[in-house]
Amino acid sequence: MAHAAQVGLQDATSPIMEELITFHDHALMIIFLICFLVLYALFLTLTTKLTNTNISDAQEMETVWTTLPAIILVLIALPSLRILYMTDEVNDPSLTIKSIGHQWYWTYEYTDYGGLIFNSYMLPPLFLEPGDLRLLDVDNRVVLPIEAPIRMMITSQDVLHSWAVPTLGLKTDAIPGRLNQTTFTATRPGVYYGQCSEICGANHSFMPIVLELIPLKIFEMGPVFTL
């Protein structure tokens, strides 16, 4: 999870997030290059004496400043489209979870386990134990296996919500009357936090998401849900 004074992105816990971080660094280097060239051109303009004001033909310069932006756009678009298609792939998920947004809590349904359904509320400050995180911990966590493709079916019962877990690279809108889906494969165990990322009312900031990812062998041994 994020910590105080953190500058970069959270550590990746899924292949999609690793690709997003790589693309972020790739685009950032291009932005640095553009900023350097623009600042250098401004510096030359302010410090160089304009001794020739009658230049009317600069075909080479016009070719460069037309071609270079096109090349830069291609260098950004190709990896961006690749990641976009990767996020839409659904490759035979091992487990399907349905998440329903409410004002202001989440309902989860394990469709592969006989319709196991439970609500997940934020823990009030009076119920926090040592080590719990204020405004982030919940009474019922979503327990999922690692190294297995998971499909999340996301919808809402009242207003717009957004189911987001940054360390997994997930952010999917929960829309009333519409069922959106996203997939992910976690690569390491742990407890990962997210929040509703769509302004949904007075208690919008009190809709945390907590995923507890455990090894697949432990998950297959039996119920690990503490409801």
Side-chain angles (χ1 to χ4, degrees):
M1 62 171 291
H3 55 80
Q6 180 174 337
V7 176
L9 301 174
Q10 298 184 31
D11 293 337
T13 314
S14 69
I16 292 295
M17 189 58 187
E18 292 176 359
E19 294 287 342
L20 290 172
I21 292 176
T22 301
F23 176 71
H24 169 269
D25 297 340
H26 168 73
L28 197 60
M29 291 302 102
I30 294 177
I31 293 173
F32 283 158
L33 175 62
I34 294 173
C35 292
F36 174 78
L37 291 176
V38 172
L39 290 175
Y40 180 67
L42 288 174
F43 175 78
L44 291 181
T45 302
L46 296 174
T47 58
T48 304
K49 293 182 179 180
L50 301 177
T51 57
N52 190 348
T53 59
N54 298 319
I55 296 177
S56 60
D57 188 13
Q59 296 295 331
E60 295 82 3
M61 180 61 69
E62 291 181 2
T63 302
V64 169
W65 72 40
T66 302
T67 306
L68 188 59
I71 295 174
I72 291 175
L73 289 176
V74 171
L75 292 177
I76 295 177
L78 291 179
S80 176
L81 290 173
R82 174 174 171 270
I83 296 175
L84 182 63
Y85 280 103
M86 288 177 61
T87 56
D88 285 338
E89 290 182 356
V90 180
N91 297 322
D92 192 20
S94 301
L95 184 66
T96 299
I97 308 294
K98 185 177 181 181
S99 176
I100 305 172
H102 307 270
Q103 289 182 310
W104 288 271
Y105 64 95
W106 296 97
T107 297
Y108 296 98
E109 178 181 352
Y110 285 72
T111 59
D112 300 314
Y113 284 82
L116 174 63
I117 303 175
F118 62 90
N119 297 326
S120 181
Y121 292 87
M122 184 193 73
L123 281 177
L126 294 177
F127 292 89
L128 292 176
E129 298 180 358
D132 289 342
L133 300 174
R134 179 177 173 270
L135 301 182
L136 284 178
D137 265 303
V138 296
D139 54 356
N140 297 314
R141 296 175 175 176
V142 182
V143 182
L144 297 172
I146 64 172
E147 299 177 347
I150 307 297
R151 175 171 58 187
M152 296 295 304
M153 311 292 289
I154 300 167
T155 187
S156 172
Q157 196 176 32
D158 37 48
V159 299
L160 291 176
H161 300 282
S162 185
W163 199 84
V165 182
T167 189
L168 291 171
L170 299 177
K171 185 179 185 297
T172 304
D173 288 340
I175 304 173
R178 178 171 178 175
L179 194 63
N180 292 329
Q181 72 173 357
T182 185
T183 60
F184 67 93
T185 302
T187 56
R188 52 189 175 135
V191 179
Y192 302 99
Y193 297 88
Q195 288 180 303
C196 175
S197 297
E198 186 76 40
I199 297 177
C200 56
N203 292 331
H204 155 67
S205 56
F206 306 111
M207 287 185 64
I209 301 163
V210 183
L211 303 183
E212 184 174 345
L213 302 177
I214 61 177
L216 181 58
K217 292 183 178 179
I218 298 178
F219 185 86
E220 292 177 339
M221 288 175 60
V224 290
F225 315 106
T226 56
L227 305 181

